[in-house]
Amino acid sequence: IRSFYWWEGKVEEEAEVRGTIDSEVSFDTLLEVLEAVHPYEVPMIVSSVHGEERDSSRYLMARAEINGTSVEVATDLAKSLVEVRYVACAQVETLDSGNDHVLTIKTLRKSQDQIVIDFGGLMFDWTPMQGNEAYLRWLDENVKIRRQ
């Protein structure tokens, strides 16, 4: 995947690998193990929130399909979302066809409305999110809420 994220005052772009773990082990246990071995200063270790905490989560991840366009258009869109600081991280996964992409974003619940208003042509599937403390703090520091 191509990742775009706000780091040290500017948008960074990097090729990354997304790992998915499906486990009976609790998220807290996995989090402790992954943080201990992850090479990044601020690793993104996240999971969807289930149960009663769904409505109270202040953090969201969302996915939108971007079909029938070039990877350049999809990555420009991801970069734009980070540049305006509506999200702290946007990732583009190009599917096998080469013209279909999945955009994944990480942001604050408070930013959801401004994303929908300004990027309303995208049909995001929103999911409450939990994560490691350093990553969630980084989201809080790097997503900016504009007055509507």
Side-chain angles (χ1 to χ4, degrees):
I1 61 173
R2 294 284 329 150
S3 289
F4 299 85
Y5 54 95
W6 193 261
W7 191 257
E8 297 184 353
K10 65 182 193 280
V11 177
E12 295 287 341
E13 177 181 353
E14 205 171 319
E16 294 184 306
V17 175
R18 179 184 299 140
T20 303
I21 299 172
D22 193 7
S23 175
E24 298 294 321
V25 175
S26 73
F27 179 71
D28 290 337
T29 301
L30 287 172
L31 182 61
E32 185 178 325
V33 171
L34 292 172
E35 277 187 307
V37 298
H38 202 291
Y40 283 10
E41 180 180 338
V42 180
M44 178 185 9
I45 305 169
V46 298
S47 172
S48 56
V49 174
H50 303 284
E52 295 175 10
E53 298 172 5
R54 285 184 60 83
D55 293 334
S56 64
S57 176
R58 66 184 282 148
Y59 306 99
L60 295 174
M61 57 184 155
R63 293 172 50 95
E65 293 181 4
I66 305 171
N67 296 323
T69 192
S70 69
V71 68
E72 291 80 16
V73 169
T75 56
D76 284 349
L77 178 59
K79 186 176 181 181
S80 294
L81 281 159
V82 176
E83 283 177 333
V84 297
R85 314 258 319 257
Y86 285 5
V87 306
C89 177
Q91 299 168 313
V92 175
E93 176 184 359
T94 300
L95 304 178
D96 291 338
S97 70
N99 290 323
D100 297 325
H101 316 277
V102 176
L103 171 65
T104 304
I105 60 174
K106 311 297 187 306
T107 192
L108 304 177
R109 184 177 294 277
K110 290 180 181 178
S111 188
Q112 184 178 10
D113 287 344
Q114 65 190 13
I115 293 168
V116 170
I117 290 168
D118 290 354
F119 294 86
L122 296 172
M123 299 301 297
F124 282 105
D125 179 21
W126 297 93
T127 304
M129 174 182 77
Q130 61 184 335
N132 54 309
E133 187 176 318
Y135 187 75
L136 299 180
R137 187 173 46 251
W138 176 78
L139 280 176
D140 283 328
E141 294 168 356
N142 289 291
V143 173
K144 301 299 178 197
I145 308 303
R146 313 257 192 275
R147 300 230 184 260
Q148 298 297 333

